[in-house]
Amino acid sequence: MKKRLIILFLIFGALFFSSCINTHAAESSDYLSYSEIMLSSGKLIRYYTKEEYLELVRKTEGGYWMDVVVVIDNKAVDGSYISNTLYSVENTSKTAIEYNLEYSIETNNKVSFQTSESLSASGGSTIKKVKVECAAKASVDYSTTTSTSVKEKRTMKLTVEPNSRLIVYLTGEITLTNGVCAVYYWWNRWYVGAFEFVTLKSQFSKMEKRSI
C-alpha cells in the first residue's frame, strides 16, 4: 500500500512538473514602447534599484505548500503617457504655413501584463496561475478576451508660425499596479519575480508648438 502511494505521488509530481515547463510566449505590452510615462506616485518595475527589488522579494518568504504569494508595491496608481509622434514639422521661413493633417488612432482598451525574466521563464500553466492570482489580489480586472479596439480617423488644420516647430503626438491616461510574487510548490519557492499591470484608459492626440 505504501509503495503504491509513493508511486502515485511520483506520477502526480511528474505530471505537475511537466505542466510547469511548457513553453511560454511573452505577451505584448504596448506600454513598454511609450516614450514617457508620468505617474502620480511610485514607479515602473524597470526603474527599481536592486535593493528595492530584493526588499520586496524578502516579503514573499515563508512556509507555503502550494501557493502564489503576492506583494503589491503600487496599487491602481494614476498616470499619463506620451506615445509615438504622429506629425512633426519646422517652419524656418518668415511667413506662417498651414497644413491639413489626416491621421488614424487605434485605441486598445486592454490591460497589459508584464513579468520579469525569472517568472516569464516558468511554464505556461505557472504564468497563467501567476496572472490570475496577481490580478485577483491586486483587484485588477484582467482578461485577454474583453479587450476592445477603437479605430478613429481624424482631421486637423495646423498653422505653423515662423521660426517654430509643431509636434502632434499621442497621449492618454493609464493606471499602474505592480509588485513581486513568488510561486511555491511543496514548501519550496520555485519562481520569484516582479509583475506589472498597466491599464490603458484613454488615448488622444495633443499638439505642441516650440520655438526654434
Side-chain angles (χ1 to χ4, degrees), residues 146-202:
T146 59
S147 62
T148 58
S149 178
V150 179
K151 291 184 178 180
E152 194 175 352
K153 190 172 183 179
R154 302 181 183 180
T155 59
M156 182 183 293
K157 189 172 184 179
L158 309 173
T159 301
V160 187
E161 285 77 13
N163 297 316
S164 66
R165 177 190 292 115
L166 184 142
I167 301 172
V168 180
Y169 56 88
L170 292 179
T171 185
E173 298 175 332
I174 59 169
T175 57
L176 167 82
T177 296
N178 61 18
V180 166
C181 68
V183 182
Y184 280 84
Y185 299 134
W186 303 308
W187 297 283
N188 291 312
R189 190 172 65 185
W190 284 40
Y191 306 107
V192 63
F195 72 91
E196 195 160 66
F197 290 99
V198 172
T199 305
L200 177 64
K201 297 169 63 178
S202 64

Side-chain angles (χ1 to χ4, degrees), residues 61-73:
E61 296 175 352
Y64 304 94
W65 181 45
M66 289 189 181
D67 198 6
V68 176
V69 181
V70 179
V71 176
I72 299 172
D73 195 38

Side-chain angles (χ1 to χ4, degrees), residues 10-25:
L10 290 174
I11 292 173
F12 169 77
L15 291 172
F16 188 79
F17 182 75
S18 65
S19 70
C20 294
I21 58 175
N22 294 328
T23 56
H24 168 66

